[in-house]
Amino acid sequence: MVEYHVTAMRTEAVDMLACRPGQTVVDGTLGGCGHARLIHGRITPGGVLIGIDQDQDAIDHAHRVFPEQGAAVHVVHGNFVDLSQFLSQLGIDAVDGILVDIGLSQHQIEASGRGFSFSRDEPLDMRMDVRRELTAADLIADLSEKDMARLFSRYGEERWAARIARYLVEQRRMRAITTSGQLAGMVARAVPAAARHKQAIHPATRVFMALRIAVNKELDVLDRFLPTAVDHLKPGGRLCVLSFHSLEDRIVKHRFREMHDPCTCPPAFPHCVCGRKPMVRLLTRKVVRPSSAEVNDNPMARSTRLRAVEKL
Ligand SMILES: C[S@@+](CC[C@H](N)C(=O)[O-])C[C@H]1O[C@@H](n2cnc3c(N)ncnc32)[C@H](O)[C@@H]1O
């Protein structure tokens, strides 16, 4: 496991949870355990940390970070979307805080060997949980040109989606596309040279992001998780989400607003007749971004966005 040298917005996120000794808190994305360690320190003595990750490498790392598990620390290999099931297995109904820090860990990018990075030549896998059936190579091999273009456009907001999909479909007729290096090279060749030179990012950045989102069903999982998470908070409990791109942040913003103001009555009604009551208070009216000092220290933190709610 490559250590997280700097976990993005570590203190801001954990401060937002307002953890106290004796509380029960879920870290849904253990990764390198940067947040989990801080939370654990703040809820000790008497607290319970439930740490989840869908990547077995992160779980192995968490067992090393928290060697003495038992009543105070539970490490769970699974997807945070299954939170209800994990809590019920532990005999816990509601918790004081939940944090998710979605996206890739440094380990996944640099050392997992699963093709998450366009700057490495590795098998084109991209599964965070290798028990999943479909890999990125499967998608590239099987999607129609139209579906591939839609995927790059929708999840990667890639301007050259149609052109890239056309090129990849032509190329895959000649040989299978099975490595990240192969894919990165082909995407770079598919983008017009003038556009390539103007881009500040590698031309394959958005395609890689789109594939990762699709392979791990990241947006669907996040959308289903947020209401479940709030259901499992005690009154006054807090849910804090760190996300890395606008599509994720849009889902978080929308779900939080919906839970904050679920009333469906037309604005012209003098008072509410639908009876839907707010479930949460917004702790972040506007998205919180990392300080410029943090971005200077850790440029990878620059796209991090933090939003949080408190259950009423
Ligand atoms: C950005 S890292 C988390 C870093 C962590 N907060 C830290 O301080 O080191 C994201 C981690 O979340 C995991 N992950 C992403 N989506 C997940 C999901 N739906 N369920 C469980 N784990 C998930 C990834 O496998 C990865 O290890």
Side-chain angles (χ1 to χ4, degrees), residues 4 7 29-35 53-54 78-80 101 103-104 108:
Y4 248 71
T7 302
T29 51
L30 282 168
C33 293
H35 286 113
D53 204 292
Q54 60 177 333
N79 196 304
F80 56 63
D101 173 15
L104 286 175
Q108 286 166 331

Side-chain angles (χ1 to χ4, degrees), residues 54 79 104 116 125-130 132 134 139 210-221:
Q54 60 177 333
N79 196 304
L104 286 175
F116 286 108
D125 184 320
M126 295 201 193
R127 289 170 301 169
M128 292 189 195
D129 185 340
V130 295
R132 272 191 189 279
L134 285 183
L139 292 182
L211 281 169
R212 196 199 82 208
I213 289 175
V215 166
N216 298 289
K217 302 194 182 330
E218 291 176 31
L219 301 183
D220 173 53
V221 160

Side-chain angles (χ1 to χ4, degrees), residues 130-181:
V130 295
R131 297 169 300 185
R132 272 191 189 279
E133 210 180 312
L134 285 183
T135 65
D138 294 328
L139 292 182
I140 292 290
D142 298 336
L143 286 178
S144 67
E145 182 182 324
K146 200 167 151 203
D147 287 347
M148 204 190 290
R150 197 177 299 139
L151 189 150
F152 296 158
S153 167
R154 195 154 151 221
Y155 294 158
E157 298 176 314
E158 171 57 62
R159 178 172 171 211
W160 303 103
R163 195 176 159 120
I164 295 169
R166 193 176 330 122
Y167 187 70
L168 294 180
V169 167
E170 261 167 45
Q171 292 295 312
R172 79 181 179 192
R173 286 196 199 106
M174 292 180 267
R175 66 202 144 119
I177 304 169
T178 57
T179 75
S180 49

